[in-house]
Structure formats: structure tokens, C-alpha cells
């Protein structure tokens, strides 16, 4: 018996953050976190509300981490939130990115 597996190697370093997430406890898209490609270190990932208040921050690459749509234990409303991230890729280059994400309830 034989099997095969196609493996694609990315020739890029990048940070991808979803345009939306739905923290409703169904186990799918419940947390907002950056998807890292070719990244060695994450200095920070921050989420701000529309008034510029910092409502989430993490400083390590950990797959179980991510913003769960809460601030100080309270569910945040459906809205657009701004994120910023700073990482260091495998070649030592610092990458800073920002964007926005919609919280869907």
C-alpha cells in the first residue's frame, strides 16, 4: 500500500489576519489571531476599539492565544476593530502590519 502527500513550501514571509471572526463558542473562528508565515518571533499583536482603546495584547507566538471578543470579561459589540502586529521573520527582518477586522455576533 502506498500513499502520497503534496507539500508546498512558501517562499515568502508574511502575516495574515482574518477580515472577520465570530466568538460565539461554536469552535470555529472563535478567536482572532495572526497567521504567521516564515516568522521567527512575534513582538506584539494588539487590538483596539473604534475609540483607540487597547483591548487585547499578546507578545508571544502561541496557537492557543487569540482575542476572544471580550474586554475585562465583557463581550464586545459587533463592530470593526483595528489590529497592529510587529514580527521578526526568519531572516531577522522586522515586519509591521495593521488592518481591521469585523467582530460578528
Amino acid at each position: 500500500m502506498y500513499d502520497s502527500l503534496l507539500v508546498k513550501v512558501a517562499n515568502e514571509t508574511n502575516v495574515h489576519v482574518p477580515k472577520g471572526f465570530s466568538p460565539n463558542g461554536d469552535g470555529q473562528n472563535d478567536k482572532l489571531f495572526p497567521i504567521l508565515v516564515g516568522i521567527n518571533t512575534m513582538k506584539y499583536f494588539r487590538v483596539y476599539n473604534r475609540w483607540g482603546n487597547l483591548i487585547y495584547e499578546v507578545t508571544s507566538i502561541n496557537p492557543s492565544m487569540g482575542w476572544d471578543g471580550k474586554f475585562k470579561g465583557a463581550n464586545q459589540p459587533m463592530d470593526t476593530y483595528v489590529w497592529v502586529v510587529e514580527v521578526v521573520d526568519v531572516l531577522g527582518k522586522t515586519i509591521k502590519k495593521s488592518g481591521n477586522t469585523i467582530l460578528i455576533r
Side-chain angles (χ1 to χ4, degrees):
M1 178 181 224
Y2 293 95
D3 196 2
S4 63
L5 175 67
L6 176 64
V7 176
K8 291 187 178 185
V9 177
N11 291 327
E12 66 170 321
T13 57
N14 210 339
V15 178
H16 306 281
V17 179
K19 293 287 185 187
F21 77 115
S22 58
N24 58 9
D26 68 355
Q28 295 182 347
N29 302 313
D30 284 336
K31 291 187 177 183
L32 179 68
F33 55 89
I35 299 163
L36 308 174
V37 178
I39 301 302
N40 219 17
T41 307
M42 183 168 69
K43 292 186 177 181
Y44 60 80
F45 175 66
R46 298 176 181 147
V47 179
Y48 297 87
N49 65 13
R50 70 171 50 242
W51 297 279
N53 299 320
L54 177 65
I55 57 175
Y56 178 77
E57 180 176 27
V58 66
T59 57
S60 67
I61 299 174
N62 184 339
S64 67
M65 299 300 287
W67 182 44
D68 62 1
K70 294 181 181 181
F71 179 59
K72 294 184 179 179
N75 286 337
Q76 295 303 289
M78 267 183 39
D79 206 344
T80 300
Y81 294 84
V82 174
W83 56 264
V84 294
V85 64
E86 183 174 336
V87 297
V88 178
D89 71 10
V90 294
L91 301 175
K93 178 182 170 188
T94 297
I95 300 170
K96 294 181 182 181
K97 290 186 87 172
S98 63
N100 55 53
T101 299
I102 299 171
L103 188 156
I104 303 164
R105 292 245 180 241

